[in-house]
Amino acid sequence: MANDENVLIDNVTRGEYKYGFYTDIEMDTAPVGLSEDTIRFISAKKSEPQWLLDFRLKAYQHWLTLEEPDWAHLHHPPIKYQEIIYFAAPKKKELASLDEVDPDLLETFNKLGISLEEQKRLSGVAVDAVIDSVSVKTTFTKTLQKHGIIFSSFSEAVQNHPDLIKKYMASVVPYTDNYFAALNSAVFSDGSFCYIPKGVRCPVELSTYFRINAANTGQFERTLIVADEGSYVSYLEGCTAPMRDENQLHAAIVEIIALKDAEVKYSTVQNWYPGNSEGKGGVYNFVTKRGMCRGANSKISWTQVETGSAITWKYPSCILMGDNSVGEFYSVAVTNNYQQADTGSKMIHLGKNTKSTIISKGISAGHSNNSYRGLVRMSRRAENSRNFSQCDSLLLGDKCGAHTYPYIHNENKSSIIEHEATTSKISEDQLFYCLQRGISEENAIGLIVNGYAKEVLKKLPMEFAVEAQKLLTISLEGSVG
Amino acid sequence: MLSIKNLHVSIEGKEIIKGLNLEVHPGEVHAIMGPNGTGKSTLAAVIAGREGIYEVTEGEIFYKGKDISEMAIEDRAREGIFLGFQYPVEIPGVSITNFMRTAINEIRQYKGLEQISAANFLKDMEEAKKLVGIQSKLTNRSVNEGFSGGEKKKNEIFQMAMLKPDLAILDETDSGLDIDALKVVANGVNALKTDQNATIVITHYQRLLDYIIPDFVHVLYNGRIVKSGGKELALELESKGYDWLKAEA
């Protein structure tokens, strides 16, 4: 790990958002705005069965009755839902090999340093790459097929495995759950589906790279992961977005189902465009992520490193239904300049002897606001359950804010909830100590911040940890002094 | 090496150093002694370039013939000024190994050198560890986190051995050390001494000077050096205390 920390320091580059470029690929787009017609257009484009169209329409009708939530510690101009394009897809699809992939698209991946070929050849990671809503290429399918693992775009899964989709979709996040979940359920464009059969340990890390690409295109991804009894999977989600002036709305849903004795590890590095140093532009990220430990002894673990987006509204949660099930949430959230993050987790203990851990590390710099919001609930049935929460905030400078909103409901006497919270600053003494050893201020902050976040970073798979460390340093450049 | 002329330093408007002069040449060991609150640590911090509460109101500091008043802290360090801290700060989650490699590579980059190879770095680490008698696993721990007083001070000398400074300023390195740790620290400092580098030892007690033999001893009192002499001056201070110097100040 020490070695990688160093690689990170070496690789730090200065300047504007590194991944701000734009790929010109021919689009097949829906008309601007949201209506039943838009939804029918999306559904028809994807040749969806009637039941799915009905689901979308019901969600849309429900969404119309809702109002945008305003309880989060976030401020933004009203989102103009009628000015968003709800569907855009690259025209070419169904490719047999990488040679058939649009060269512009490959170039995009190359710029991001995640070329499919590289991924395929070097890291043994199967990549389901999503550019503007439609999965272009799925690799490693054959290896996965051998184990009976299904890993495909959501649309393909609707065609090929309608029974599984029908059974599990919206079983953890119903369309009635919240405003953005209802919106997503109505207009979701694509996403990923993953099914690990009974007793199978997925031999590779499953990885999806999301990318927002076209102007004014909302991104409404939908991810569904089902881990059948006794199975295991580690799933990686990483994001970059090109620079853009208008705010981009992103409202994804991720659902995880872990059956008896199954384990799912879900890791995210989120690096969407945060807006420029004056707070202009940037992605609005309103995501509903939830896992259900449905069977006994199951486990779901969320690890996230959030450095991007102008606004982050995100609470990866676990419903611990099965007895002895385990939920974990490890988070590093960085906000700089005018970024705002309201993020945390919910741990709902329903089964006996269930355990949950929340480790949240917030880092605020510039004029940003960083809030932790978490709920821990022990139901009456959840005897002998435990939660441990630790929420730390690190402040850089004196114009940023850190807030902690822990909510606790304990309905039985045998369960224990522990909560610890700290707020600290990078001290002048620490900086002076580093500088006196010849370390520059940027690197000193990088070192101190990565040290502070280490407890979370070490939970990430290796290749992700390196990327995450780099991001932490890059996203805090110029934040002190 | 170091030439300080008529230095005046204030902290929050209060003058702490009031016209200090000091000349240090390569190969020399200087001891600066004096009672608490006379400006010893302030002097060390100002040579290292610390700002914030410290304000240099008058005077000059020349290092290797250059006026370093405007030089940044990290550049002074890269030019070979090392400060051994009286209270080394904790940096949680950052291993000593990583900390040192970052420092060494930044200094090398400043000097236009390539990054240090892993093999050479490890070799240097082993030598430096042996020199100050610190256990191998200590360098895997976070910088100063949970260290005993003795471990913190040994870690300072370990870093000095790794960075091989031209001018080392050791601020109360002896405070909080038992006699065995004191010997280890002193032996380390002595072993690192060459005729090319210089050391300034800041201390309250004469005890450290039994092990690090100074060429010059200066008494800092009320913001000025009120008396300078050879190593025998330290012994005189030990037996007579500081009071007899008040008249001279």
Side-chain angles (χ1 to χ4, degrees):
Chain A
M1 185 59 82
N3 193 25
D4 300 313
E5 286 173 40
N6 228 47
V7 170
L8 121 86
I9 299 296
D10 301 342
N11 291 347
V12 168
T13 51
R14 281 157 206 288
E16 296 284 301
Y17 184 67
K18 212 172 124 191
Y19 300 130
F21 49 82
Y22 174 75
T23 309
D24 198 8
I25 298 169
E26 213 182 330
M27 292 290 170
D28 197 353
T29 52
V32 178
L34 182 54
S35 66
E36 284 208 0
D37 286 346
T38 309
I39 291 164
R40 288 178 196 281
F41 173 90
I42 296 170
S43 192
K45 269 281 164 206
K46 306 173 92 54
S47 317
E48 284 176 356
Q50 185 64 36
W51 61 265
L52 193 50
L53 175 61
D54 292 344
F55 171 82
R56 287 174 179 277
L57 292 172
K58 266 192 287 182
Y60 173 65
Q61 286 306 328
H62 182 73
W63 180 75
L64 289 175
T65 67
L66 301 175
E67 281 185 25
E68 207 177 277
D70 61 356
W71 44 261
H73 191 83
L74 301 170
H75 304 279
H76 58 85
I79 298 166
K80 293 172 182 154
Y81 293 95
Q82 293 306 336
E83 291 178 14
I84 293 171
I85 298 168
Y86 285 86
F87 184 80
K91 271 186 175 166
K92 286 188 189 176
K93 34 185 175 171
E94 304 284 316
L95 304 174
S97 81
L98 287 171
D99 302 338
E100 295 174 39
V101 175
D102 189 324
D104 278 356
L105 196 55
L106 287 179
E107 182 61 28
T108 302
F109 285 122
N110 284 327
K111 278 188 214 165
L112 287 170
I114 52 154
S115 99
L116 288 171
E117 275 179 303
E118 285 294 298
Q119 288 289 343
K120 209 167 153 183
R121 201 156 39 88
L122 295 175
S123 56
V125 175
V127 176
D128 182 33
V130 178
I131 275 215
D132 272 344
S133 324
V134 168
S135 292
V136 178
K137 190 67 202 159
T138 306
T139 53
F140 269 72
T141 314
K142 279 182 190 160
T143 319
L144 298 179
Q145 267 170 359
K146 204 172 71 191
H147 292 85
I149 295 166
I150 303 166
F151 181 44
S152 74
S153 74
F154 201 89
S155 310
E156 279 165 20
V158 168
Q159 304 300 334
N160 301 334
H161 308 282
D163 45 333
L164 285 172
I165 298 289
K166 227 171 167 172
K167 185 171 175 190
Y168 291 110
M169 185 185 78
S171 69
V172 185
V173 182
Y175 67 79
T176 50
D177 191 77
N178 69 70
Y179 185 83
F180 298 103
L183 180 64
N184 176 289
S185 300
V187 302
F188 70 89
S189 33
D190 209 335
S192 299
F193 173 70
C194 170
Y195 173 79
I196 315 291
K198 269 185 199 176
V200 169
R201 201 180 160 84
C202 183
V204 290
E205 314 250 10
L206 295 184
S207 169
T208 302
Y209 284 91
F210 291 85
R211 208 161 141 64
I212 302 174
N213 205 283
N216 280 326
T217 307
Q219 283 279 298
F220 303 95
E221 308 288 346
R222 196 156 184 126
T223 301
L224 177 60
I225 299 169
V226 181
D228 212 326
E229 292 180 11
S231 68
Y232 167 85
V233 65
S234 168
Y235 192 93
L236 318 181
E237 175 205 352
C239 320
T240 56
M243 193 180 290
R244 190 162 303 291
D245 267 336
E246 281 135 292
N247 290 305
Q248 294 174 296
L249 176 64
H250 188 100
I253 288 180
V254 177
E255 292 179 284
I256 299 175
I257 293 117
L259 300 181
K260 189 167 166 285
D261 299 319
E263 181 178 350
V264 178
K265 203 169 138 60
Y266 190 103
S267 311
T268 310
V269 171
Q270 188 266 114
N271 178 31
W272 284 324
Y273 182 52
N276 67 14
S277 53
E278 275 94 47
K280 196 164 180 284
V283 172
Y284 289 5
N285 189 21
F286 296 91
V287 188
T288 306
K289 287 186 168 178
R290 193 173 303 154
M292 175 139 13
C293 287
R294 197 177 277 185
N297 310 312
S298 56
K299 179 176 174 183
I300 293 175
S301 179
W302 300 97
T303 305
Q304 60 171 23
V305 174
E306 306 277 321
T307 63
S309 296
I311 287 178
T312 302
W313 181 97
K314 180 177 177 184
Y315 317 90
S317 305
C318 298
I319 299 170
L320 303 172
M321 206 164 123
D323 291 346
N324 311 310
S325 60
V326 177
E328 294 175 335
F329 173 74
Y330 300 100
S331 170
V332 176
V334 180
T335 52
N336 197 0
N337 299 319
Y338 287 87
Q339 279 178 277
Q340 305 174 65
D342 195 300
T343 182
S345 182
K346 285 194 277 189
M347 293 292 173
I348 312 295
H349 292 251
L350 301 177
K352 294 186 181 76
N353 306 314
T354 47
K355 261 191 268 176
S356 66
T357 306
I358 295 174
I359 307 284
S360 164
K361 302 269 182 180
I363 301 162
S364 348
H367 293 79
S368 69
N369 261 303
N370 202 323
S371 304
Y372 167 82
R373 189 182 303 276
L375 169 69
V376 178
R377 201 182 128 208
M378 301 284 181
S379 75
R380 230 173 315 162
R381 259 200 68 234
E383 289 160 24
N384 299 312
S385 294
R386 291 191 75 113
N387 161 266
F388 174 75
S389 302
Q390 185 187 326
C391 306
D392 296 331
S393 307
L394 184 68
L395 300 169
L396 280 74
D398 54 9
K399 294 186 178 63
C400 51
H403 317 270
T404 305
Y405 305 96
Y407 303 89
I408 290 170
H409 299 291
N410 195 345
E411 294 162 17
N412 78 74
K413 281 183 182 161
S414 60
S415 292
I416 301 169
I417 299 176
E418 287 175 88
H419 181 88
E420 287 177 12
T422 65
T423 301
S424 53
K425 286 186 131 184
I426 288 187
S427 75
E428 213 184 310
D429 287 343
Q430 283 176 323
L431 268 184
F432 178 58
Y433 194 81
C434 294
L435 293 171
Q436 210 297 308
R437 298 302 185 247
I439 298 170
S440 67
E441 186 166 281
E442 298 280 0
N443 282 344
I445 290 168
L447 273 179
I448 295 167
V449 165
N450 274 302
Y452 165 79
K454 196 176 207 167
E455 211 178 333
V456 173
L457 296 177
K458 71 181 182 198
K459 297 285 176 186
L460 288 172
M462 198 59 183
E463 63 269 38
F464 245 30
V466 178
E467 170 88 346
Q469 291 178 335
K470 231 190 302 186
L471 276 179
L472 286 190
T473 307
I474 291 171
S475 53
L476 288 168
E477 268 177 14
S479 58
V480 166
Chain B
M1 174 85 69
L2 182 73
S3 174
I4 300 177
K5 293 184 174 131
N6 190 33
L7 183 70
H8 292 254
V9 182
S10 293
I11 298 178
E12 287 161 352
K14 186 172 180 258
E15 190 160 73
I16 303 294
I17 293 178
K18 307 167 179 174
L20 183 142
N21 297 290
L22 184 66
E23 291 287 334
V24 178
H25 300 103
E28 295 177 351
V29 176
H30 289 244
I32 295 179
M33 302 184 70
N36 286 327
T38 52
K40 299 192 298 291
S41 290
T42 301
L43 177 65
V46 167
I47 296 171
R50 187 157 198 184
E51 289 174 341
I53 59 168
Y54 303 99
E55 193 192 350
V56 176
T57 53
E58 213 183 320
E60 286 148 337
I61 303 175
F62 288 90
Y63 172 68
K64 293 181 179 171
K66 272 188 288 187
D67 182 353
I68 56 168
S69 316
E70 299 298 320
M71 195 184 273
I73 300 164
E74 63 270 33
D75 287 341
R76 294 185 199 207
R78 293 162 185 171
E79 289 286 349
I81 295 177
F82 176 90
L83 177 58
F85 285 74
Q86 183 177 4
Y87 304 109
V89 68
E90 296 184 0
I91 309 179
V94 179
S95 71
I96 293 177
T97 305
N98 188 29
F99 183 69
M100 270 296 100
R101 189 164 36 194
T102 305
I104 285 170
N105 280 331
E106 284 213 49
I107 292 167
R108 291 179 68 90
Q109 193 186 346
Y110 177 82
K111 292 178 173 167
L113 299 171
E114 280 179 21
Q115 305 259 300
I116 192 166
S117 71
N120 284 339
F121 179 74
L122 286 175
K123 195 170 106 279
D124 288 357
M125 284 244 295
E126 286 314 309
E127 282 172 15
K129 277 193 256 191
K130 210 184 280 172
L131 186 76
V132 288
I134 59 177
Q135 287 179 328
S136 222
K137 62 185 183 210
L138 195 77
T139 44
N140 294 328
R141 282 167 56 185
S142 299
V143 178
N144 294 321
E145 196 182 30
F147 283 24
S148 69
E151 283 173 330
K152 282 185 182 174
K153 293 302 170 71
K154 283 182 189 174
N155 182 27
E156 293 296 289
I157 305 304
F158 164 77
Q159 292 180 44
M160 178 178 158
M162 291 296 289
L163 299 174
K164 298 181 184 65
D166 296 323
L167 175 64
I169 304 158
L170 306 176
D171 188 7
E172 304 271 4
T173 298
D174 52 334
S175 68
L177 293 186
D178 62 34
I179 197 73
D180 292 329
L182 186 74
K183 279 185 195 167
V184 169
V185 165
N187 289 341
V189 173
N190 290 333
L192 293 169
K193 203 188 139 192
T194 69
D195 55 4
Q196 300 299 310
N197 62 23
T199 310
I200 298 175
V201 181
I202 292 174
T203 181
H204 189 72
Y205 302 105
Q206 193 272 336
R207 163 178 100 132
L208 178 63
L209 304 180
D210 290 340
Y211 304 99
I212 300 174
I213 310 297
D215 301 301
F216 300 94
V217 174
H218 311 277
V219 181
L220 186 60
Y221 185 78
N222 199 18
R224 283 190 201 92
I225 287 175
V226 294
K227 197 168 181 64
S228 295
K231 60 177 190 257
E232 62 289 344
L233 178 58
L235 294 167
E236 202 178 343
L237 288 168
E238 184 76 354
S239 59
K240 291 161 79 175
Y242 291 107
D243 283 350
W244 63 281
L245 287 164
K246 284 181 184 171
E248 301 190 25

